[in-house]
Structures are given as structure tokens and as C-alpha cells.
């Protein structure tokens, strides 16, 4: 079973206002929360849960990802990280770094920050990776007869990443909704819109699309982010064909803060979708 919700990314998109998922899942690993913000004064916890039927081992590490104008996250090789990204890797502390989870038994990973004196104000971010460690393949008891060729066994390795954000100083940001349109992709219809950001930190929240005069939303998307390395991104949400048709024409798009911090409106715009 594979269940994977993308972050930042991370969204749940459905007709009639589907609720947000509080956790990420890949393979048999469940991770909550899906986003960590630290201000340097205290740490927090991430809870892992093995929802499979067999024990599983996971290795935990930090990596750098950068957002693209298309809204994706590119993994950055260690030799290409910037000074600020290196600072993020160095200041974020966590334990343990490897866990073996029995079925349905939660495990806490403690996350904190060691803020060096004189750290410049700003938002620092790394992504915490939880990667499955495959079981060792059993040794072959008998040698393979000559002439049978080469046999290759492929084992899928599942992984989940969540952003860990450290904010230093008095930071602020705003966002504005641009053009909106429906398109056809190789994976089916998609509802798209441009989202611009200003300020010195990321923005993060939920999108709700409604028809003017109708209270029930056509589309809800949770966890839409714009990170500081980009000033704008395209948001593309795959939708069923029947919903794509309903989204064309006049709509109201509302971008709100995460509900856990109040759910206030970041921006609201009326658009005619083609």
C-alpha cells in the first residue's frame, strides 16, 4: 500500500471542501505533524507510526530542498548549499537518527534548535527525511547455474520529507493571487493559479475556490506554501474532469493562514477561469 500526499507541495484537493490530512504517509510510515516551525526558544516533537503489520526501520536525516517556480522542491547536493542553508543544517538538532518501529507503536523524534550567537534575522529551512531501511536480502543457499544470465531484484525504498523552519527576528510576509486557469496535463485536468510572495519569510495556508453567491466550495487545497527562495510560484491542483468543467467561469479564490494559527485571510481575488 502506498499513500503519499505531497507537501509544499502537500495538498488535499477535492470537491465540496475535503478536510486536510494531519499526517503524511508513505509505504507503512505515518508522520505527524507535516511541518515544524521553531523560534529558538523551545523544541518540539515529531511522531512516527508504523501502520504496517511488520517491524520497519527508518533512517532520519536532514537535507536541503529549494522551491521552483513550478512549485516543486529540488534536492540540493551538499556541495551546492548556500551559507544560509548550511546554517540551517548546523542549527537543527534531532534525536534519534534511526528507529525501528513495531507495528502500531508510535515513536517520538525530538527536534530542537541550537541558535548560534549573532545569527542574522531570517528564515532558515531544512527538510527532515525519514527513509526506510530495507531488510537485508537472505544469502542464496545454492549457487546459480551457469548460463541463466543475470538476475536483479529491485526493492522500493520509501521516504517522507517534512520542512523544519527556524525563524530568527521579526519577520513578515504577504501573498497575492494572480491569474487562474484550467489545463490538461498528462495526469488529467488541473486547476492552476499564480501565487506571488513578498517579505522575508515563507507563506503557508489553504486555498478555497467558490462560485460567487454559492457558499459551498468547489475546491479546497491544504498546505500551499511559497518559500523565501522564490518570489512567485504556480500552484497546480489535479481535479476530476467534471470538477474541471465546474471551475471554469467566474470564481472567488481565497488564500488563508493555516487554521492552527487563526485561519486569517492572506489574499482573496475574483477571477474568470478559462
Amino acid at each position: 500500500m502506498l499513500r503519499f500526499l505531497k507537501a509544499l507541495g502537500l495538498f488535499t484537493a477535492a470537491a465540496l471542501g475535503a478536510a486536510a490530512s494531519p499526517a503524511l504517509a508513505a509505504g507503512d510510515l505515518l508522520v505527524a505533524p507535516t511541518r515544524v516551525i521553531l523560534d529558538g526558544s523551545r523544541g518540539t516533537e515529531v511522531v512516527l507510526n508504523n501502520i504496517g503489520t511488520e517491524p520497519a526501520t527508518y533512517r532520519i536525516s536532514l537535507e536541503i530542498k529549494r522551491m521552483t517556480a513550478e512549485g516543486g522542491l529540488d534536492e540540493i547536493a551538499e556541495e551546492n548549499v548556500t551559507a544560509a542553508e548550511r546554517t540551517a543544517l548546523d542549527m537543527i538538532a534531532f534525536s534519534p537518527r534511526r528507529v525501528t518501529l513495531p507495528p502500531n507503536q508510535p515513536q517520538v523524534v525530538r527536534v530542537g534548535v541550537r541558535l548560534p550567537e549573532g545569527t542574522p534575522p531570517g528564515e532558515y529551512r531544512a527538510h527532515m527525511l525519514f527513509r526506510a531501511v530495507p531488510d537485508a536480502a537472505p544469502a542464496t543457499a545454492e549457487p546459480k547455474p551457469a548460463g541463466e544470465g543475470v538476475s536483479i531484484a529491485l526493492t522500493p525504498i520509501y521516504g517522507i520529507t517534512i520542512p523544519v523552519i527556524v525563524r530568527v527576528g521579526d519577520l513578515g510576509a504577504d501573498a497575492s493571487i494572480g491569474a487562474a486557469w484550467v489545463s490538461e496535463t498528462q495526469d488529467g485536468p488541473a486547476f492552476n493559479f499564480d501565487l506571488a510572495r513578498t517579505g522575508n519569510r515563507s507563506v503557508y495556508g489553504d486555498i478555497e475556490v467558490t462560485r460567487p453567491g454559492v457558499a459551498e466550495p468547489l475546491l479546497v487545497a491544504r498546505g500551499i506554501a511559497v518559500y523565501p527562495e522564490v518570489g512567485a510560484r504556480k500552484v497546480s491542483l489535479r481535479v476530476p474532469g467534471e470538477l474541471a468543467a465546474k471551475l471554469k467561469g467566474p470564481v472567488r479564490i481565497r488564500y488563508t493562514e493555516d487554521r492552527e494559527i487563526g485561519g486569517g485571510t492572506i489574499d482573496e481575488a475574483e477571477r474568470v477561469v478559462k
Side-chain angles (χ1 to χ4, degrees):
M1 175 179 62
L2 173 62
R3 294 181 294 165
F4 194 81
L5 304 181
K6 295 182 178 178
L8 359 164
L10 163 69
F11 68 88
T12 298
L16 304 181
S21 170
L24 281 174
D28 290 325
L29 177 65
L30 200 68
V31 179
T34 61
R35 183 170 176 261
V36 172
I37 297 181
L38 302 169
D39 61 9
S41 62
R42 65 184 186 278
T44 189
E45 295 179 344
V46 175
V47 179
L48 312 181
N49 198 6
N50 175 9
I51 57 176
T53 57
E54 299 291 335
T57 299
Y58 298 90
R59 183 179 294 112
I60 307 169
S61 60
L62 293 177
E63 61 183 17
I64 295 297
K65 290 177 177 285
R66 292 181 197 152
M67 179 166 276
T68 69
E70 296 298 311
L73 288 170
D74 287 344
E75 184 178 344
I76 305 301
E78 187 170 352
E79 62 268 21
N80 296 325
V81 302
T82 66
E85 291 167 342
R86 170 56 58 191
T87 299
L89 290 173
D90 292 342
M91 71 169 59
I92 296 170
F94 60 94
S95 179
R97 294 176 178 265
R98 183 183 176 108
V99 295
T100 297
L101 303 177
N104 299 309
Q105 183 170 319
Q107 165 76 48
V108 168
V109 176
R110 292 176 175 82
V111 185
V113 58
R114 297 186 292 257
L115 198 63
E117 187 176 352
T119 301
E123 181 172 289
Y124 300 85
R125 185 184 84 254
H127 291 253
M128 184 167 285
L129 170 63
F130 306 89
R131 175 166 287 166
V133 177
D135 295 333
T140 302
E142 299 180 0
K144 189 177 183 66
E148 292 190 10
V150 177
S151 176
I152 299 176
L154 300 179
T155 302
I157 299 176
Y158 300 113
I160 294 177
T161 59
I162 64 170
V164 180
I165 296 170
V166 180
R167 288 177 176 162
V168 181
D170 186 15
L171 309 179
D174 216 333
S176 58
I177 298 165
W181 68 99
V182 169
S183 66
E184 285 291 333
T185 74
Q186 62 181 7
D187 298 316
F191 176 76
N192 313 280
F193 62 94
D194 293 324
L195 189 60
R197 180 200 59 81
T198 57
N200 54 6
R201 66 166 177 83
S202 60
V203 290
Y204 177 88
D206 303 334
I207 288 290
E208 184 179 87
V209 183
T210 57
R211 183 75 65 199
V214 180
E216 197 71 34
L218 292 170
L219 176 67
V220 173
R222 308 291 189 199
I224 303 298
V226 188
Y227 290 131
E229 60 266 30
V230 293
R233 61 162 289 193
K234 181 179 81 171
V235 178
S236 185
L237 306 172
R238 290 196 300 273
V239 295
E242 60 272 21
L243 178 56
K246 293 179 181 179
L247 286 165
K248 293 182 178 181
V251 298
R252 178 180 293 273
I253 306 171
R254 185 169 177 247
Y255 186 35
T256 59
E257 293 177 333
D258 186 64
R259 290 172 295 177
E260 292 184 0
I261 60 172
T265 299
I266 301 173
D267 191 37
E268 194 169 17
E270 293 185 358
R271 297 289 182 263
V272 177
V273 179
K274 296 183 179 180

